[in-house]
Amino acid sequence: MTTSHQVFRYQDQLVMTIMTELDASSLWIDRKHTALGKYFGYVPDIKEPARQQFQRMNNILSDQLLKSKGPFLMGTQFTAADILYGQCLDLSLLIGWEDVLQSESLDAYTKAYRKRPAYMEAKKLRSL
């Protein structure tokens, strides 16, 4: 039997993994040393190690999608972890890392979170 405390704890673990391993250790490192290089210093050789780190962690999260029986990271419940994960996936596409997003579970996941009304509304607001 799963308690609500265990559910929240697992959600927190997912949030921290996404924030530290996908965003901070991959996407931010790439952006910091390529697009924002004039401020932080250009380190073009960092792009591939950052992409590989993203791919490793994304594979783990992709496996979690299969285990959760989806469509979201924690099953049928959409959580803060999904907001962060979806944003990371979208950013990875913007910087050209679409090769790390090739899986059936990720395809189903991105379709599920992108068809949510809140996502569509946010997308409209960003394009204003």
Side-chain angles (χ1 to χ4, degrees), residues 75-91:
T76 58
Q77 183 179 6
F78 186 82
T79 68
D82 293 294
I83 294 170
L84 295 170
Y85 189 39
Q87 178 67 16
C88 286
L89 295 176
D90 286 349
L91 289 172

Side-chain angles (χ1 to χ4, degrees), residues 54-89:
F54 185 92
Q55 186 170 25
R56 277 190 297 276
M57 292 312 301
N58 192 49
N59 288 343
I60 291 168
L61 290 165
S62 183
D63 288 345
Q64 172 56 32
L65 287 170
L66 293 173
K67 289 176 191 171
S68 77
K69 297 182 173 94
F72 303 114
L73 288 167
M74 294 184 65
T76 58
Q77 183 179 6
F78 186 82
T79 68
D82 293 294
I83 294 170
L84 295 170
Y85 189 39
Q87 178 67 16
C88 286
L89 295 176

